[in-house]
């Protein structure tokens, strides 16, 4: 099974020299943070990849900083005790956040995206608009570097025809609450997030098969391979 997500280099919010989704997810449109995401778009072609010990690619996430949301590059594979988890930790089920991921659930983020791929099928909003995927985070051995895991939910609509899980996409109305470090990660937040994601999740449509080699086509082997995402 193959999977991945990222930001498309085109779309309804694009203008000359700008990328779809960048301005929508860079807090305050800060020049330094905007440049950070643009550099990632250019270097990684807008495609998020699982991070491994030898595959030192990092991907943008949005977290709550001291003065508000900030963009940073993070390690896509949750760490445990400062090291990459030896078990599969690139995603986390919404219905297991309180059982398996209680501590990381208290440190939440958003992964900006405008598409995701499952089993070779690309899903996006009809207009190509960007969206935020719920994520949880944990520190790494490098104090300045954060690791993260994508949160998934039960699939609906088009997505359910391909796989029984899909990313937990959050509407903008829930972004502040999800990122608020003072908001306890509890059962009510899980319920609110899943319920709030219903309309946006149902709006994601299959845009056709992925051209060329599938994203993350290699077999799962943590944490340097590209296993299934959702």
């Amino acid at each position: 099974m193959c999977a991945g997500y990222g930001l498309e280099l085109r779309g309804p919010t694009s203008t000359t020299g700008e990328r779809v989704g960048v301005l929508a997810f860079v807090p305050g449109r800060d020049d330094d943070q905007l440049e950070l995401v643009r550099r990632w778009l250019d270097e990684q072609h807008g495609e998020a990849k699982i991070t491994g010990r030898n595959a030192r690619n990092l991907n943008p996430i949005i977290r709550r900083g001291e003065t508000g949301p900030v963009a940073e590059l993070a390690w896509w594979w949750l760490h445990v005790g400062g090291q990459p988890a030896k078990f599969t930790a690139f995603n986390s089920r919404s219905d297991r956040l309180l059982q398996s991921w209680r501590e990381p659930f208290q440190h939440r983020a958003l992964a900006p995206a405008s598409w995701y791929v499952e089993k070779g099928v690309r899903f996006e909003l009809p207009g190509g608009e960007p969206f935020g995927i719920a994520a949880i985070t944990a520190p790494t051995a490098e104090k300045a570097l954060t690791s993260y895991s994508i949160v998934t939910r039960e699939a609906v609509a088009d997505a359910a025809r391909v796989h029984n899980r899909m990313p937990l996409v959050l509407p903008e109305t829930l972004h502040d609450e999800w990122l608020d470090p003072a908001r306890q990660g509890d059962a009510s937040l899980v319920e609110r997030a899943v319920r709030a994601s219903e309309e946006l999740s149902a709006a994601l449509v299959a845009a056709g098969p992925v051209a060329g080699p599938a994203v993350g086509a290699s077999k799962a082997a943590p944490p340097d391979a590209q296993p299934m995402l959702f």
Side-chain angles (χ1 to χ4, degrees):
M1 186 175 297
C2 55
Y5 78 92
L7 282 171
E8 182 57 273
L9 307 187
R10 61 168 176 77
T13 62
S14 293
T15 61
T16 302
E18 294 178 352
R19 305 292 198 256
V20 61
V22 172
L23 295 182
F25 281 96
V26 176
R29 301 187 180 183
D30 177 270
D31 287 343
D32 289 339
Q33 294 189 56
L34 184 59
E35 179 58 30
L36 177 147
V37 180
R38 280 179 167 159
R39 191 183 313 120
W40 175 82
L41 283 163
D42 290 336
E43 293 176 355
Q44 302 297 331
H45 308 290
E47 179 184 323
K49 299 181 179 69
I50 302 292
T51 309
R53 292 183 179 86
N54 298 318
R56 189 66 173 188
N57 55 282
L58 302 172
N59 307 306
I61 62 170
I62 305 300
R63 299 180 67 201
R64 177 74 69 179
E66 292 182 0
T67 60
V70 295
E72 64 181 78
L73 296 180
W75 183 306
W76 186 13
W77 187 286
L78 207 65
H79 286 210
V80 176
Q83 298 297 323
K86 295 182 179 179
F87 51 86
T88 301
F90 55 88
N91 67 5
S92 45
R93 293 173 60 105
S94 60
D95 56 356
R96 297 292 300 172
L97 289 176
L98 293 174
Q99 289 76 34
S100 304
W101 313 96
R102 180 176 292 275
E103 180 59 29
F105 185 31
Q106 310 310 315
H107 307 278
R108 299 174 296 274
L110 290 170
S114 60
W115 56 267
Y116 82 92
V117 171
E118 186 59 77
K119 289 190 174 180
V121 179
R122 177 180 170 124
F123 292 91
E124 59 187 32
L125 293 174
E129 299 90 347
F131 48 86
I133 301 176
I136 57 176
T137 74
T140 71
E142 301 175 42
K143 293 183 178 180
L145 185 61
T146 300
S147 68
Y148 74 102
S149 173
I150 293 298
V151 180
T152 69
R153 57 156 291 160
E154 183 179 358
V156 297
D158 271 12
R161 300 184 180 96
V162 174
H163 196 276
N164 63 359
R165 305 295 297 177
M166 68 184 296
L168 177 61
V169 293
L170 299 179
E172 290 186 26
T173 54
L174 201 69
H175 287 185
D176 285 344
E177 183 176 357
W178 182 262
L179 294 177
D180 185 357
R183 173 58 160 107
Q184 183 180 2
D186 56 17
S188 67
L189 182 56
V190 175
E191 182 181 358
R192 280 178 55 76
V194 172
R195 185 171 65 249
S197 74
E198 289 289 341
E199 183 175 356
L200 198 56
S201 298
L204 288 163
V205 295
V210 178
V215 177
S218 59
K219 294 182 180 180
D224 292 311
Q226 304 288 316
M228 71 176 186
L229 173 57
F230 303 118

